[in-house]
Amino acid sequence: MIVDLTGEVVPCCFWSGYGNVGKPLGNTNLASIDEIWNSSEYQALRQVNASGNLEGHPCNQCMAYAWSNGNYPPFSSPIPWRHESGHCYLVEIPENFTKLAGESLNAAELLEDGVPLPFPKTLHDDIRKLGEGRYSVWDHSLYFSTSDNSDPSDNGRSYELNVPHGRIKLQGLVVDSVSGQNILKAWEEYREGVEVMTAKPTMISLISTADCNIDCPGCSQNMVRLTRVQHRAETVPDILAHVPYLYQFIWHGGEPYLIKRFRQFIDDFRTEDNPNLAFGFTSNGTMLTAKELDKLQRFPRINASISMDSFNKAMFEKVRKGADYDTVLSNALRAIATYDAPHRVFSIGMIVCKSNFRELAENLEFAIEHDMGLNLSPVVIYPVTEQLNVFENYQLQAQGWQEALDYARNIIQRAVAEKRPSVRRVDATGMLAELQAILDRAQQRYRQCTALDIIVADPHHSLSQMIRPGIVLYHAQGNEVLAYCELASGAGSYAIRVPYGYSPQTVYWTLVHNLIEVTGRVAEGWFEPIDQSLIAAKFEDKPVKPVRLPIPKFIAVDRPRNTTFANYGETTPNGLRVKAAEDITAAYNSSTAEERLNGRGLAVRTYRQYMYLVAVRAISRIRHILSESR
């Protein structure tokens, strides 16, 4: 269960993004966690997944499936082993133990309650068919069966691996705990198809704030920061009350270390609070000091990601504005040095965008050299200036990308063959395949384009007041972005390249004062056909007149640093509690109306326009008051 900052609840991060179309399953601004967990929407989701028939279902479009080399993630729990097949169970051997064991790992002895199991180095097929204590250590994994073919998850026995240099306990589920009982109950009810579950959720991921201490220009949370989106006061306490029942709790920001309750949660947590818990978070790394890293030892398991986006200092500090590369890298390397899967897992998150695509291979080489598991995330949603599926000039912008991708693939193949720790931790093969698919689709889409003329006049010198002005083309059906053009040279003639296959009656243009803030529209319109008989013709038939665009009067808007908006994860009276999809847009329109009434943004030109903006502001405030009273 993922709880977004808007209160919307989805089952995973791929549910409604990356081209997927899953609808929210509830909203914590309207209902509690338990109410959503047993809602009709969640019941339907469990039934579909249990049936295995995902045809037409959002899970059938899962990008994680592609990234994971064609494997759906299995039902997971804090138990280190999973049922492989027959009598066989499979467990990943902790990395530090494999280093300790060295060449003696393959001869490791498996103990059940201190007694050696009788059949080491057994064929995997015999383990599956016969069991009875047969086992095999194979490529950093243990394939094993119990002495009586019982399930090691609940037979109450302990299992240890022994080598001449040491011994390690394969920690099973702590059944005698609130979370242990809840996990077993949830798995039992899921398998039995129980509609209204008595078990509580076993995994919750919370995005509790957009507060951040750095100012990444392409951050997808910039708009929600501007509109002060927050949870209602009851949500975070409700989620924290569920922590004793969970096997995994992931807490995101913004930057989570800015959140008061996040820091307090870490300070207060004791292992006995939940001996099965895996605690995770994504941090920009600026505040993950040695002291904070040491506090994480209290958790049974840690699975955290540090966002870097580049191992090139200049590129890093461009993409992650306000962060110091040397500080973040030092903090990241310190965290990576504590890696000991499955107990201590730290990885690096890296977006792949227009700015850093050409350095893809270099970033992978750096990660491999420093034993970093590197998770690559393609930018395909926002902002247009960095998306890998929208272009101003495909041939120019994507130049060298295919070569970079080919080189990156060779690097990963070599690292896999050499069994480097980095690719054992995160194998980027599937991610690179997905990048190739994105690139192939873009190449096909922009293979043939028509250049549309736009003649820009700037009588009020407004362009100099804008941060990054540009024109964006949208397909009216679904508001899909087709192309964009940055007005980097001031007034003059521009050509915007639209892919073949679209007609003027389905495409409109918008002028925005900042291509990073695509909702900041200054003007918009449709293309005018040369002749009405050509209205249905395709752009490649040259059926439209040039767009003549006089830029209206515009005064620079104030976009202060992110810390200006910070409420450190707390609910404040002026916050926006989202209850419907249009709430954020309405709040944004209200904030721009406020700006215009204060002499910023587009100039107010008529009395009628002035009264309209006053009405927008008043309606927004009334809606907020009514929302708070519900």
Side-chain angles (χ1 to χ4, degrees), residues 180-463:
Q181 291 298 307
N182 187 59
I183 290 160
L184 294 176
K185 174 61 72 173
W187 182 222
E188 176 187 352
E189 292 183 336
Y190 174 76
R191 286 184 299 183
E192 293 177 355
V194 173
E195 292 185 0
V196 178
M197 298 182 74
T198 58
K200 293 184 180 294
T202 58
M203 178 272 186
I204 293 178
S205 177
L206 168 66
I207 303 173
S208 69
T209 182
D211 293 349
C212 194
N213 60 330
I214 63 175
D215 297 89
C216 304
C219 180
S220 60
Q221 293 183 324
N222 285 338
M223 186 171 176
V224 294
R225 263 188 287 269
L226 190 63
T227 52
R228 298 186 183 276
V229 176
Q230 299 172 6
H231 288 289
R232 64 173 179 165
E234 296 86 349
T235 296
V236 175
D238 185 13
I239 291 172
L240 290 177
H242 281 77
V243 169
Y245 299 90
L246 303 178
Y247 81 78
Q248 188 172 40
F249 177 42
I250 305 173
W251 198 334
H252 297 292
E255 170 49 45
Y257 275 96
L258 270 187
I259 304 169
K260 292 178 181 178
R261 294 192 202 191
F262 176 90
R263 298 196 307 272
Q264 192 66 50
F265 174 74
I266 291 175
D267 288 344
D268 292 346
F269 185 84
R270 298 294 178 268
T271 306
E272 54 268 25
D273 296 341
N274 186 339
N276 296 304
L277 184 68
F279 179 52
F281 56 87
T282 298
S283 170
N284 61 35
T286 57
M287 303 172 72
L288 188 57
T289 61
K291 181 180 179 181
E292 293 299 331
L293 187 64
D294 186 59
K295 292 178 184 178
L296 299 177
Q297 296 293 329
R298 301 171 184 150
F299 291 88
R301 293 182 300 147
I302 288 291
N303 194 330
S305 176
I306 301 167
S307 301
M308 289 206 63
D309 299 340
S310 179
F311 294 122
N312 174 287
K313 180 179 174 68
M315 179 61 69
F316 173 91
E317 293 181 354
K318 172 189 172 184
V319 176
R320 305 195 71 77
K321 186 178 178 182
D324 178 72
Y325 173 77
D326 297 318
T327 298
V328 174
L329 180 60
S330 174
N331 290 344
L333 290 173
R334 186 188 302 112
I336 295 295
T338 69
Y339 188 101
D340 185 22
H343 308 299
R344 292 286 177 273
V345 176
F346 287 93
S347 60
I348 302 298
M350 182 169 289
I351 62 168
V352 182
C353 59
K354 290 188 180 83
S355 290
N356 69 0
F357 201 108
R358 292 183 187 88
E359 62 178 43
L360 179 61
E362 288 80 0
N363 285 329
L364 285 168
E365 284 182 321
F366 186 95
I368 291 166
E369 179 186 350
H370 293 85
D371 294 342
M372 295 174 169
L374 189 61
N375 284 299
L376 303 174
S377 298
V379 176
V380 292
I381 299 175
Y382 170 95
V384 294
T385 53
E386 295 293 354
Q387 284 179 232
L388 303 181
N389 53 352
V390 177
F391 290 87
E392 184 173 13
N393 183 329
Y394 175 81
Q395 281 70 29
L396 180 63
Q397 291 175 294
Q399 188 175 4
W401 286 14
Q402 187 60 62
E403 292 80 2
L405 192 51
D406 291 341
Y407 186 25
R409 255 194 303 265
N410 290 336
I411 290 169
I412 291 298
Q413 288 170 0
R414 186 167 63 249
V416 169
E418 295 172 356
K419 299 183 178 180
R420 299 292 294 271
S422 173
V423 292
R424 282 207 312 270
R425 295 171 180 182
V426 179
D427 185 351
T429 302
M431 302 174 198
L432 295 180
E434 183 60 27
L435 284 173
Q436 183 66 67
I438 292 170
L439 187 57
D440 289 345
R441 289 192 294 269
Q443 186 178 38
Q444 178 63 29
R445 185 185 200 188
Y446 291 95
R447 184 171 55 87
Q448 291 182 295
C449 293
T450 300
L452 305 177
D453 294 325
I454 297 178
I455 302 169
V456 176
D458 189 15
H460 307 287
H461 306 289
S462 295
L463 290 175

Side-chain angles (χ1 to χ4, degrees), residues 71-279:
N71 295 301
Y72 284 110
F75 183 92
S76 57
S77 77
I79 305 165
W81 45 76
R82 65 177 176 86
H83 184 226
E84 197 247 12
S85 67
H87 300 303
C88 182
Y89 292 82
L90 178 63
V91 60
E92 178 186 2
I93 300 172
E95 190 167 311
N96 283 354
F97 185 75
T98 66
K99 293 177 181 177
L100 172 70
E103 294 182 358
S104 66
L105 180 63
N106 289 338
E109 186 178 45
L110 179 61
L111 310 178
E112 182 183 75
D113 278 347
V115 178
L117 288 175
F119 304 111
K121 298 184 178 181
T122 304
L123 293 174
H124 295 173
D125 204 40
D126 286 346
I127 300 173
R128 297 176 186 116
K129 291 178 180 178
L130 303 174
E132 296 180 344
R134 290 169 171 81
Y135 66 94
S136 166
V137 174
W138 185 266
D139 192 25
H140 301 278
S141 295
L142 170 67
Y143 294 75
F144 78 105
S145 59
T146 63
S147 58
D148 59 357
N149 292 338
S150 60
D151 185 342
S153 304
D154 56 14
N155 65 10
R157 300 171 200 157
S158 65
Y159 293 87
E160 296 173 290
L161 270 181
N162 184 38
V163 295
H165 305 299
R167 178 181 294 190
I168 187 170
K169 184 175 182 179
L170 303 175
Q171 179 65 52
L173 179 69
V174 180
V175 176
D176 187 20
S177 64
V178 173
S179 58
Q181 291 298 307
N182 187 59
I183 290 160
L184 294 176
K185 174 61 72 173
W187 182 222
E188 176 187 352
E189 292 183 336
Y190 174 76
R191 286 184 299 183
E192 293 177 355
V194 173
E195 292 185 0
V196 178
M197 298 182 74
T198 58
K200 293 184 180 294
T202 58
M203 178 272 186
I204 293 178
S205 177
L206 168 66
I207 303 173
S208 69
T209 182
D211 293 349
C212 194
N213 60 330
I214 63 175
D215 297 89
C216 304
C219 180
S220 60
Q221 293 183 324
N222 285 338
M223 186 171 176
V224 294
R225 263 188 287 269
L226 190 63
T227 52
R228 298 186 183 276
V229 176
Q230 299 172 6
H231 288 289
R232 64 173 179 165
E234 296 86 349
T235 296
V236 175
D238 185 13
I239 291 172
L240 290 177
H242 281 77
V243 169
Y245 299 90
L246 303 178
Y247 81 78
Q248 188 172 40
F249 177 42
I250 305 173
W251 198 334
H252 297 292
E255 170 49 45
Y257 275 96
L258 270 187
I259 304 169
K260 292 178 181 178
R261 294 192 202 191
F262 176 90
R263 298 196 307 272
Q264 192 66 50
F265 174 74
I266 291 175
D267 288 344
D268 292 346
F269 185 84
R270 298 294 178 268
T271 306
E272 54 268 25
D273 296 341
N274 186 339
N276 296 304
L277 184 68
F279 179 52

